[in-house]
Amino acid sequence: MRDILLIIIIGGSLPFILFMPWIGVLMWYWIGLMNPHRLGWTFITDMSVAMMVGVVTLAALVLTRDRKPLPFTREIVVLVIFTGYITMTTYFAWSHMAWVQWDTVMKILLMTFVTPMLIYGQTRTLLLILVVAGSIAFYGFKGGLFSVLTGGSHMVLGPRDSFIAGNTDLGLAMIMILPMLLIIARMFRENWVDLGILSRSPKIAGYAAYSVFWLTAAAIIFTYSRGALLGLLAIAPFMFLKMRRKGSLILAAVLAVTVIGVTLPERLVSRWQTIQTYEEDHSAMQRVQAWGVNWNMAMERPLLGAGFNNVYIPDEVWVGYANFIGPWHPNTARVAHSLYFQVIGHHGFGGFAVFMTMILFTLLTLNRIRRQSRHIPGKEWMGQFAWAMQVGFVGYLVAGAFLDRAYFDLMFAMVAITIILRRELDTVEAPAPQRVGTENPGHESSSPAPRDFVRTPENVQASHAATTDRPMSRQAP
């Protein structure tokens, strides 16, 4: 039954995508991030549903006029350079499996380029943010609720055969979207934006979103991932400063520990304590060994590295680049377990420089959006989500130090959203206050209100003042 329902939803979306290709972008990220087909039981689990949606979306992109030119931003330029660079390193790769991973990464990069062409305007941009965050938050809500009901006695995992299948993978993804969930909850609770049916019950939607936020935070803890714990500790101060009822949160935490007696499971504490004794943990030392292997490969070929999937080279060759031979048996080729050493080993120091430049430019652009949007009425939501993605990138860079997710589609989705927000901010027209100020009393404006009216307190007061002693009509901010 679940398989049939999913095939109806995914297959039924294809005709709509042909006429509205921007829906294809939302569907592609929903499938790519949430992996709903992996939750099926029979035939749909192995279907290439993402490819189906991607092909139809690309066909519709060619046929439609409802698209924007690809923005010429520094992020796009670096993405193009990165695409060419990894293609070059793949040509000179050591492993015959390099082109397999190249194919996967190319699909992600292709949709990263397509997304800013089809997603524009407030409504589409916010829907994309909701889909990206919600796709991961589904597992945060599900895993957090399960952990609370079972006392955290089980490990939270993602859907099988996906980017977020493992506990550390899912923990990284939830860390990246946790700040976005906080802003989404505040957006719904305070009814910043008119999103149609989603804005009809702001209190209910807001409290529901806050519940998802807190359950996702719990789910991160109960992934039992040491990397996820470090990532959560890295972003927690930023989110705490962003919260408004800090005193209530501190009081609730104190009461929970001292009065109610809430304690963490012993298994969880024991897992975290291995961070201090990593030398005695074979799992941790195997990661250190893999880091050294990828570093030495890059030292030998600083501009090319070993190429994608260097883990598939013969074990004796891989171990030959190790700095030490561990006491475990056997010493075999292993993945890098670090996004930094993964890129260094795959593409050398040259590819690593391009990759980090892309992230640096994205962070700088998000900071610019956060600062400038404060002064543009109706666009404050851009700055809020820019802050959220900045903090999400901090979590990605910290937790990713212990996980080989350099080519994570969620990270590239955040880059695409950053490019979209930058274009939206750059194309905002200067407000024309003289229209309202010179309007004759008693004369009702015939121009419709813009669709991206934002209900901030300042805009509501201005709108109320402008409509005093006149028939109630929706005014532009």
Side-chain angles (χ1 to χ4, degrees):
M1 182 63 183
R2 187 183 298 179
D3 296 67
I4 296 175
L5 177 61
L6 287 171
I7 202 66
I8 290 175
I9 294 174
I10 296 172
S13 70
L14 300 181
F16 293 96
I17 294 173
L18 281 174
F19 292 97
M20 294 179 287
W22 64 274
I23 295 179
V25 174
L26 303 185
M27 290 294 296
W28 192 86
Y29 279 113
W30 175 58
I31 294 170
L33 295 174
M34 182 178 168
N35 295 274
H37 57 297
R38 301 298 185 187
L39 302 177
W41 297 109
T42 54
F43 62 92
I44 198 172
T45 57
D46 296 322
M47 289 183 64
S48 301
V49 289
M51 180 173 290
M52 292 168 47
V53 171
V55 169
V56 176
T57 302
L58 292 176
L61 173 67
V62 175
L63 299 175
T64 189
R65 294 182 179 179
D66 183 21
R67 64 173 184 263
K68 294 281 189 180
L70 188 64
F72 187 74
T73 66
R74 57 190 178 186
E75 294 82 12
I76 290 291
V77 172
V78 177
L79 276 171
V80 171
I81 296 173
F82 184 69
T83 302
Y85 203 102
I86 64 176
T87 302
M88 177 188 67
T89 60
T90 305
Y91 182 80
F92 294 101
W94 291 352
S95 171
H96 66 284
M97 296 293 291
W99 288 107
V100 176
Q101 191 171 9
W102 177 89
D103 180 70
T104 300
V105 176
M106 279 298 137
K107 293 174 183 176
I108 297 173
L109 289 173
L110 177 60
M111 290 305 296
T112 305
F113 288 118
V114 169
T115 298
M117 300 174 68
L118 294 175
I119 301 297
Y120 59 88
Q122 175 180 282
T123 301
R124 294 185 188 183
T125 304
L126 285 173
L127 287 176
L128 175 61
I129 292 173
L130 291 176
V131 168
V132 168
S135 296
I136 304 298
F138 170 81
Y139 297 104
F141 175 81
K142 175 171 167 285
L145 185 62
F146 177 75
S147 298
V148 171
L149 294 177
T150 61
S153 58
H154 300 279
M155 183 181 293
V156 177
L157 299 171
R160 63 187 183 277
D161 300 325
S162 68
F163 264 121
I164 55 174
N167 63 320
T168 306
D169 305 289
L170 181 59
L172 172 65
M174 291 189 293
I175 286 170
M176 293 174 67
I177 60 99
L178 190 63
M180 297 172 68
L181 294 180
L182 177 62
I183 299 304
I184 288 172
R186 189 171 294 177
M187 177 183 71
F188 282 133
R189 178 67 179 83
E190 300 176 3
N191 208 13
W192 291 349
V193 180
D194 185 2
L195 287 175
I197 191 173
L198 296 177
S199 302
R200 292 183 181 178
S201 301
K203 289 186 177 180
I204 296 176
Y207 288 132
Y210 275 118
S211 299
V212 174
F213 167 79
W214 287 111
L215 287 174
T216 300
I220 293 172
I221 295 174
F222 290 106
T223 58
Y224 286 87
S225 167
R226 293 166 293 189
L229 170 65
L230 294 176
L232 183 61
L233 292 176
I235 67 173
F238 298 101
M239 292 192 298
F240 180 76
L241 293 174
K242 193 72 171 178
M243 294 177 179
R244 294 173 179 171
R245 296 179 175 86
K246 301 178 181 63
S248 300
L249 290 174
I250 296 174
L251 179 61
V254 172
L255 290 176
V257 175
T258 59
V259 179
I260 304 177
V262 175
T263 58
L264 294 173
E266 182 179 351
R267 176 189 171 195
L268 184 63
V269 176
S270 299
R271 177 69 172 170
W272 289 350
Q273 286 176 343
T274 59
I275 296 177
Q276 298 177 335
T277 58
Y278 69 93
E279 299 94 340
E280 303 172 9
D281 186 351
H282 284 180
S283 174
M285 293 308 296
Q286 285 169 355
R287 297 187 182 200
V288 175
Q289 183 191 55
W291 296 350
V293 168
N294 284 271
W295 178 270
N296 292 332
M297 287 178 178
M299 290 295 291
E300 182 175 302
R301 306 213 310 176
L303 295 181
L304 296 175
F308 282 125
N309 275 334
N310 58 0
V311 71
Y312 287 100
I313 64 176
D315 289 340
E316 59 273 14
V317 176
W318 191 91
V319 174
Y321 285 91
N323 293 325
F324 63 90
I325 302 299
W328 53 86
H329 183 77
N331 280 258
T332 58
R334 291 179 173 86
V335 295
H337 284 293
S338 168
L339 69 88
Y340 304 106
F341 290 101
Q342 181 185 22
V343 178
I344 288 173
H346 286 178
H347 314 296
F349 297 111
F352 178 73
V354 176
F355 179 80
M356 293 306 297
T357 299
M358 175 188 67
I359 293 179
L360 175 62
F361 283 170
T362 302
L363 289 172
L364 292 175
T365 297
L366 287 171
N367 191 58
R368 175 197 165 201
I369 295 170
R370 183 178 58 82
R371 289 186 291 103
Q372 294 185 355
S373 62
R374 299 174 184 170
H375 311 292
I376 304 177
K379 300 300 179 183
E380 297 88 347
W381 62 272
M382 291 185 181
Q384 296 292 325
F385 282 108
W387 169 87
M389 287 192 289
Q390 277 186 303
V391 178
F393 265 108
V394 171
Y396 171 74
L397 294 173
V398 173
F402 308 96
L403 188 64
D404 52 325
R405 280 292 174 260
Y407 320 113
F408 196 10
D409 45 359
L410 175 57
M411 186 274 290
F412 285 103
M414 292 171 65
V415 173
I417 294 173
T418 301
I419 296 170
I420 294 169
L421 290 177
R422 173 177 176 172
R423 180 185 58 201
E424 294 299 309
L425 186 67
D426 290 342
T427 55
V428 169
E429 296 182 359
Q434 64 273 15
R435 287 187 178 181
V436 176
T438 59
E439 195 175 50
N440 294 328
H443 177 70
E444 183 176 347
S445 175
S446 60
S447 60
R451 294 182 61 188
D452 58 351
F453 177 79
V454 178
R455 294 188 181 94
T456 58
E458 295 81 4
N459 290 341
V460 171
Q461 293 174 4
S463 178
H464 177 72
T467 56
T468 303
D469 299 329
R470 285 186 285 150
M472 294 298 294
S473 61
R474 200 176 181 185
Q475 299 294 323

